[in-house]
Amino acid sequence: MTDITEFLTKHPLDKRTGTFAEGELEAYRDKIPDELYQFLQQEQKAVYGNGFFRTVSPKDFHDVFTNWGLDGDNCHAFLVSSFGCIEYYYNNDYCGFNPHTGTAHANSPSGYLGLLLNLALVNTTNLEIGFCYDMHLKHRSTLPELKEDEMYTLLPALPLGGDMETSRIETVRRDVQLDILAQLYNHKTTE
């Protein structure tokens, strides 16, 4: 099992919210690395860092990736931030996707989960750029706790002239907002 000590130091476990449905993770057994499969098996549905990160099932994001012009059959989500930014496995890399900026990038090109969790996802600069960590910290005390299918978003959205400093933050259904943002970015991501 991958050591996630540094990740848990930066983002302590808040709570376990349940387990994945029977067979849900097994469907991805041959599509994701053993270390990622074991991580999801161990952690199940969990929330970390005062609601900042949440483990997710890869199946729940297939359509999201496809809608953004990514390879939904081979992008396998496993973490999502409170602002809907997604960490996923694709083509031997661990990658991050920020729907507010429409960008996707490799976070751990060596393909090691331990490096990703204990190095990239504890680095404050990486978290701010890729996952809206600064926004989460700044506004967390005034925002409601998210349900499993919700995220925080910026209104107006960045492609509509919004700004990280002046846009207001709303709680929205994650699938709906990710679809709206995909439309605003013409269903394309940049790297």
Side-chain angles (χ1 to χ4, degrees):
M1 179 63 199
T2 300
D3 176 20
I4 61 172
T5 304
E6 296 300 318
F7 176 80
L8 291 175
T9 299
K10 179 84 170 188
H11 314 286
L13 176 68
D14 295 336
K15 61 184 173 181
R16 302 224 184 265
T17 59
T19 58
F20 294 112
E22 188 173 331
E24 190 169 349
L25 294 179
E26 287 72 22
Y28 293 89
R29 187 77 174 105
D30 295 331
K31 297 177 180 183
I32 61 176
D34 287 341
E35 63 182 0
L36 179 53
Y37 178 80
Q38 291 170 5
F39 169 76
L40 290 171
Q41 283 283 77
Q42 176 182 312
E43 297 300 305
Q44 293 292 316
K45 293 182 178 182
V47 180
Y48 309 89
N50 291 317
F52 181 62
F53 274 126
R54 166 183 305 275
T55 52
V56 294
S57 171
K59 78 171 182 60
D60 294 338
F61 288 83
H62 174 275
D63 293 345
V64 169
F65 290 125
T66 301
N67 199 21
W68 277 89
L70 297 168
D71 182 358
D73 291 334
N74 293 301
C75 293
H76 308 295
F78 61 95
L79 282 175
V80 64
S81 81
S82 58
F83 278 82
C85 303
I86 305 165
E87 191 63 34
Y88 62 100
Y89 181 79
Y90 172 72
N91 197 26
N92 296 319
D93 288 339
Y94 289 102
C95 303
F97 171 66
N98 184 329
H100 300 283
T101 59
T103 56
H105 56 278
N107 276 336
S108 182
S110 60
Y112 293 108
L113 184 63
L115 283 176
L116 170 75
L117 293 174
N118 293 319
L119 190 59
L121 297 186
V122 299
N123 179 288
T124 300
T125 301
N126 287 348
L127 292 168
E128 289 173 355
I129 293 169
F131 297 94
C132 301
Y133 186 63
D134 49 340
M135 301 290 291
H136 177 84
L137 293 178
K138 182 177 179 182
H139 300 283
R140 180 65 190 122
S141 64
T142 62
L143 296 170
E145 183 175 337
L146 293 172
K147 295 177 185 168
E148 189 172 347
D149 64 345
E150 293 179 331
M151 66 181 265
Y152 304 127
T153 197
L154 302 169
L155 295 176
L158 298 182
L160 294 177
D163 179 272
M164 291 284 200
E165 297 301 317
T166 60
S167 289
R168 73 179 187 281
I169 297 173
E170 297 282 333
T171 303
V172 294
R173 272 194 38 207
R174 186 174 53 230
D175 60 340
V176 172
Q177 187 62 20
L178 292 175
D179 182 53
I180 291 169
L181 289 169
Q183 291 174 48
L184 292 175
Y185 283 103
N186 296 314
H187 304 281
K188 295 178 184 156
T189 59
T190 58
E191 295 184 29

